[in-house]
Amino acid sequence: MPNLFDIDDLGPSAWEHVLSLAGDDTLGALLGGRGVALLFEKPSARTRNSAEMAVVGLGGHPVYIQGAEVGLDVRESAEDVARTLACYHSVICARVFDHTVLSRMAGALSTRDVDVPVINLLSDEAHPCQAVADILTMREMLGPLAGRSLAYIGDANNICRSLAKAALLEGMDVRVASPSDYSFSAEELDALIAFSEGMGRGGTVRVTNEPDVAASGADALYTDVWTSMGQEDERAARLAAFSGFTVDEALVAHAAGEVIVLHCLPAHRGEEIAASVLEGPHSVVWRQAAHRQTAMRGILAWTLGGRHEQRS
Ligand code: CP
Ligand code: NVA
């Protein structure tokens, strides 16, 4: 069974398959009463609830587990936790601090020929489940996305990384505006460009330190918190560094007249986004939050080989 650590685990055909399964509300009880482990090392509102309800919608049984409860790499190794959870569950979904924990868990299963996929529910590097929901939202609001422009304003973080890959799979023009110390490295930008070229969808990506340059004429504006979970000690430095990167009405005025504004949430009004923009007519953040559940249905169905069995 396939794992999902980040969007680049999917090629174009698997990507389309996930999105099509997400929109398919006739999948039925694909899980047939089987268990899905939902392991969280960090807090969550959207991811936990959308995943639980998606599992229930596919006829499965979700079990929520806190990181401290199993003590990943403290009480026992992540490998042993994975092997144990695989005794009871058909899918292991995990929100972790360290991205490599996901591949360690999956590796522990594959060396034992245990056919249980591992899905990333957010790590320090990536948040693919959010990116699937983001694309579902943008497709719904904007129609076909090839050639449309997406400006991400803020930290080139886990959200930005997965979103950029997903948008490149859609053939979008991706612009990322960040302060220099919080931008993609040259190596990472090169890797994104290579990814886009390999996917052959015509997507482009560039970085800038000027939010208004990124936002100019954009069809979609996206932002995320400046201080991610696990970075709380850096909050003061980040607040200073990101000054001028707020998505406010002045920035929205640089974008297309019908621009949509996205935010994965939770939001910090007055920091990365102005309250008037989050609550304003361009904002689609609650539709985006709702799509977390449809996205999770598609991802779970894909890992389980739902409809057409197409995974490449
Ligand atoms: N967007 C998102 O993943 O939200 P939670 O952290 O509340 O799950
Ligand atoms: N970048 C944020 C996303 C939260 C959904 C974090 O990792 O905390």
Side-chain angles (χ1 to χ4, degrees), residues 92-115:
I92 296 174
C93 304
R95 169 168 284 195
V96 296
F97 283 100
D98 177 359
H99 190 76
T100 62
V101 165
L102 298 165
S103 50
R104 285 175 51 210
M105 293 175 94
L109 300 178
S110 70
T111 54
R112 300 247 163 166
D113 288 329
V114 177
D115 204 12

Side-chain angles (χ1 to χ4, degrees), residues 42 95 122 127 157-159 224-225 227-229 264-266:
K42 307 180 188 182
R95 169 168 284 195
L122 182 148
H127 197 359
N157 61 10
N158 46 5
I159 292 288
D224 179 25
V225 293
T227 304
S228 287
M229 293 179 278
C264 57
L265 305 175

Side-chain angles (χ1 to χ4, degrees), residues 3-308:
N3 302 304
L4 182 63
F5 303 145
D6 198 2
I7 293 296
D8 49 6
D9 291 326
L10 306 167
S13 103
W15 171 247
E16 282 302 332
H17 192 43
V18 167
L19 292 172
S20 131
L21 289 167
D24 186 345
D25 55 11
T26 65
L27 289 169
L30 208 55
L31 276 161
R34 289 177 289 165
V36 174
L38 304 173
L39 172 59
F40 284 80
E41 283 195 293
K42 307 180 188 182
S44 169
R46 283 145 290 272
T47 307
R48 176 190 174 176
N49 283 279
S50 61
E52 285 209 22
M53 295 313 294
V55 171
V56 170
L58 291 172
H61 185 93
V63 175
Y64 170 71
I65 308 150
Q66 292 192 341
E69 191 180 342
V70 289
L72 269 187
D73 288 330
V74 177
R75 187 166 182 262
E76 67 191 313
S77 70
E79 286 84 351
D80 285 358
V81 170
R83 287 179 189 142
T84 302
L85 293 177
C87 296
Y88 321 115
H89 299 288
S90 292
V91 184
I92 296 174
C93 304
R95 169 168 284 195
V96 296
F97 283 100
D98 177 359
H99 190 76
T100 62
V101 165
L102 298 165
S103 50
R104 285 175 51 210
M105 293 175 94
L109 300 178
S110 70
T111 54
R112 300 247 163 166
D113 288 329
V114 177
D115 204 12
V116 171
V118 175
I119 297 178
N120 181 5
L121 295 181
L122 182 148
S123 68
D124 53 347
E125 284 190 22
H127 197 359
C129 300
Q130 178 69 53
V132 174
D134 298 339
I135 296 298
L136 289 170
T137 308
M138 286 194 278
R139 280 190 179 191
E140 186 175 273
M141 299 295 165
L142 300 173
L145 297 175
R148 306 298 292 269
S149 50
L150 165 69
Y152 178 95
I153 314 294
D155 190 13
N157 61 10
N158 46 5
I159 292 288
C160 182
R161 196 168 289 115
S162 297
L163 175 69
K165 291 172 187 169
L168 291 171
L169 269 170
E170 292 287 294
M172 296 186 81
D173 163 25
V174 180
R175 308 114 175 230
V176 178
S178 318
S180 301
D181 290 346
Y182 300 92
S183 186
F184 285 134
S185 66
E187 295 74 28
E188 195 156 19
L189 182 60
D190 286 346
L192 282 173
I193 292 168
F195 170 73
S196 185
E197 287 172 357
M199 293 300 108
R201 305 294 284 258
T204 56
V205 56
R206 60 200 147 113
V207 300
T208 172
N209 304 134
E210 297 176 90
D212 53 342
V213 169
S216 178
D219 299 303
L221 279 179
Y222 198 119
T223 192
D224 179 25
V225 293
W226 294 337
T227 304
S228 287
M229 293 179 278
Q231 298 172 336
E232 289 78 8
D233 290 350
E234 302 171 25
R235 180 168 158 75
R238 285 173 169 270
L239 274 176
F242 283 94
S243 171
F245 282 78
T246 302
V247 174
D248 56 16
E249 292 186 43
L251 192 70
V252 171
H254 286 279
E258 301 297 314
V259 65
I260 57 169
V261 175
L262 300 102
H263 192 311
C264 57
L265 305 175
H268 293 85
R269 291 165 174 80
E271 291 185 22
E272 77 278 358
I273 191 162
S276 59
V277 173
L278 191 78
E279 311 293 350
H282 297 284
S283 172
V284 295
V285 299
W286 302 114
R287 191 67 193 138
Q288 195 183 352
H291 270 311
R292 292 297 309 278
Q293 188 174 332
T294 38
M296 206 60 209
R297 174 173 58 211
I299 292 163
L300 286 167
W302 170 72
T303 62
L304 295 164
R307 295 246 157 88
H308 321 307

